[in-house]
Amino acid sequence: MKYFIFALLILFLPSQLGYHFWPEWSLVQGTRVDYLSPNIYFTDILAITLIVLEIKSLQINRKLTLFLVLGMFLNVSLSTHPVISLYSWLKVIEFILVGLVVYKNKHAFGRLTTQIAPAVLIWTSVLAVLQWLNRGSLNGIFYLLGERTFTTQTPGIALSKIMNTVSLRPYATLPHPNVLAGVIAVLWLYILKTHQKNILFYVVSGLSFVTLILTESYSAWIALIVSIGFIFLEKLITLRIQLTWKLFIVSIFTLSLTTLFFVKTPPLEIAQSNNSRERLELLYLSGISLTQNPVTGTGLGTFITQIPQNAQLLPAVYRTRSTSWLQPVHNIPVLLFSETGIVGIVIACMLLTYIPMSAPFVFILETSLFDHYWITLQAPALLLAILVALAYNTKKSR
């Protein structure tokens, strides 16, 4: 039974099929914010079923559990919005338990992931290509997979303009083309090392690369190139170099926090670009939040709720409202720092050193410096939890 449930979980991983709730605390200045909305996804039902089936047989470290509960209690109790932080921590616990279940069955689940991931890449990529050709969503049965209804005329939709031609950046069943690119790239990097190089693999690879090109996610393109380069160097990496590499990754992770000190007076041409200005605004607002709660942060999941009250402190160069900015800052280290403070960022860096380095994690770490979806959205966060569990090796980690 558990193998069937896990197979469905992988197959429907990119799906957004679910039900959103809209309590008062999910609204910011009367505006519904998806990131704050409690929801029940189809993948949640599968994940929780898997946890219930395996919970009695899990080996849970009591000391680590106590440490996690104390950290959660501290963060929630000092949060600016305790209800939001409590819900966010419950999601974290769900992903941790899924990871423990996967780790307990890592060999069997690893084989299942290798077998099913190509099917996921095929149906997601085909849907994305058809959306691009159709210049909008396909609707129909794809609505049941979580595809949202949109066209090139939908306000706020991601578009591409080459010469005088406007085309749609495809979403498939994910919230944004950048998220689609991230999920596609990481799944492909995973099967690159685990799947046989047969006709199916090359068909999947072709479809995946076409989709990646259509998403026009530049950060994903760069991260994928670096990750492929890592694969070629991986065989040359000794234990000592592996440790040095981990220290390097942690350094990059923490150095990204220094961007907070360089966003006060950006060059005018950058500030006038909608996309760049929005990202810089959010970075600047992160710095404001940190000065107010440097030790424990504002509370997990609360970054967006702090935007309106801190916006008044923005420099004049940022004070335009032509973009939608009720979203997390596009940098995971900065986001964690803002919501969990120094305590959270130190723990995150410690945990980072326990994850064996591989091409998928190189990709995730790189893109985490330019986006937030690996910890704020259902499909990427669930994929991350599964991959960490499959990669984790107790002896090597020690």
Side-chain angles (χ1 to χ4, degrees):
M1 182 67 175
K2 64 182 178 182
Y3 302 113
F4 176 70
I5 297 296
F6 182 75
L8 286 179
L9 183 62
I10 296 297
L11 185 61
F12 291 100
L13 188 69
S15 169
Q16 284 192 104
L17 176 62
Y19 187 82
H20 287 253
F21 299 90
W22 299 102
E24 185 177 349
W25 47 266
S26 66
L27 277 64
V28 177
Q29 294 185 323
T31 302
R32 286 183 171 185
V33 180
D34 285 352
Y35 295 103
L36 300 179
S37 168
N39 47 70
I40 299 177
Y41 290 103
F42 177 56
T43 50
D44 279 323
I45 296 172
L46 294 173
I48 292 171
T49 303
L50 199 60
I51 292 168
V52 170
L53 289 173
E54 291 287 283
I55 190 68
K56 290 184 178 180
S57 61
L58 293 181
Q59 295 181 350
I60 299 176
N61 187 300
R62 293 183 179 180
K63 291 182 179 180
L64 288 178
T65 302
L66 179 61
F67 182 72
L68 175 64
V69 171
L70 288 174
M72 181 178 71
F73 176 79
L74 179 66
N75 188 260
V76 171
S77 61
L78 298 176
S79 172
T80 56
H81 290 76
V83 176
I84 294 175
S85 294
L86 178 61
Y87 173 73
S88 300
W89 276 106
L90 289 176
K91 292 296 293 184
V92 170
I93 292 172
E94 176 191 342
F95 295 141
I96 289 174
L97 290 175
V98 168
L100 289 174
V101 171
V102 173
Y103 179 71
K104 176 180 174 292
N105 302 275
K106 64 181 298 183
H107 298 296
F109 282 5
R111 288 194 296 271
L112 276 173
T113 303
T114 300
Q115 293 167 0
I116 298 171
V120 178
L121 289 169
I122 288 173
W123 78 255
T124 307
S125 297
V126 168
L127 177 57
V129 172
L130 291 175
Q131 286 176 347
W132 183 80
L133 292 172
N134 192 50
R135 297 171 62 82
S137 56
L138 300 184
N139 305 317
I141 192 173
F142 295 105
Y143 180 80
L144 297 178
L145 290 175
E147 182 194 41
R148 297 177 180 178
T149 302
F150 55 83
T151 68
T152 54
Q153 306 301 316
T154 302
I157 206 71
L159 299 174
S160 168
K161 187 174 182 180
I162 302 175
M163 303 297 285
N164 293 323
T165 303
V166 176
S167 60
L168 176 79
R169 293 174 62 193
Y171 286 63
T173 55
L174 290 155
H176 193 275
N178 290 344
V179 184
L180 171 62
V183 170
I184 289 285
V186 166
L187 282 174
W188 181 80
L189 285 168
Y190 180 82
I191 67 168
L192 178 63
K193 192 170 183 179
T194 60
H195 201 279
Q196 291 183 345
K197 304 307 180 288
N198 50 22
I199 295 177
L200 175 62
F201 172 79
Y202 291 111
V203 170
V204 169
S205 299
L207 285 169
S208 299
F209 276 95
V210 169
T211 303
L212 285 168
I213 291 170
L214 295 179
T215 61
E216 294 192 25
S217 178
Y218 302 120
S219 60
W221 293 356
I222 295 170
L224 183 60
I225 292 170
V226 174
S227 301
I228 292 173
F230 175 82
I231 292 173
F232 288 107
L233 294 174
E234 196 171 13
K235 293 181 180 179
L236 303 176
I237 295 178
T238 62
L239 178 59
R240 183 174 297 177
I241 297 176
Q242 180 82 340
L243 292 173
T244 304
W245 172 255
K246 289 186 178 184
L247 290 174
F248 173 74
I249 291 296
V250 172
S251 299
I252 293 297
F253 191 80
T254 52
L255 283 174
S256 70
L257 302 176
T258 61
T259 55
L260 296 171
F261 301 104
F262 300 105
V263 297
K264 188 172 183 179
T265 54
L268 186 60
E269 62 272 15
I270 293 179
Q272 289 177 338
S273 166
N274 281 351
N275 188 47
S276 298
R277 185 185 65 249
E278 181 179 279
R279 288 171 176 262
L280 293 174
E281 284 175 343
L282 294 170
L283 277 171
Y284 193 91
L285 291 168
S286 302
I288 296 173
S289 294
L290 279 171
T291 58
Q292 297 170 347
N293 304 275
V295 179
T296 59
T298 60
L300 195 66
T302 62
F303 177 84
I304 297 173
T305 65
Q306 304 302 301
I307 291 177
Q309 67 187 51
N310 291 334
Q312 301 173 8
L313 303 175
L314 283 170
V317 69
Y318 289 127
R319 293 179 185 174
T320 56
R321 297 292 169 264
S322 60
T323 54
S324 174
W325 64 328
L326 289 176
Q327 57 183 301
V329 61
H330 292 70
N331 183 303
I332 288 179
V334 171
L335 180 60
L336 287 175
F337 206 172
S338 299
E339 295 184 343
T340 62
I342 295 172
V343 175
I345 204 68
V346 169
I347 293 173
C349 288
M350 290 172 60
L351 293 175
L352 194 60
T353 63
Y354 282 85
I355 300 175
M357 288 298 104
S358 63
F361 290 113
V362 171
F363 181 95
I364 290 169
L365 288 168
E366 285 186 83
T367 50
S368 73
L369 304 180
F370 303 99
D371 223 317
H372 55 75
Y373 55 81
W374 291 111
I375 63 171
T376 58
L377 296 175
Q378 174 79 2
L382 194 53
L383 176 59
L384 176 59
I386 291 170
L387 290 181
V388 168
L390 290 176
Y392 188 76
N393 186 305
T394 306
K395 294 180 179 179
K396 287 185 179 181
S397 295
R398 285 177 180 173

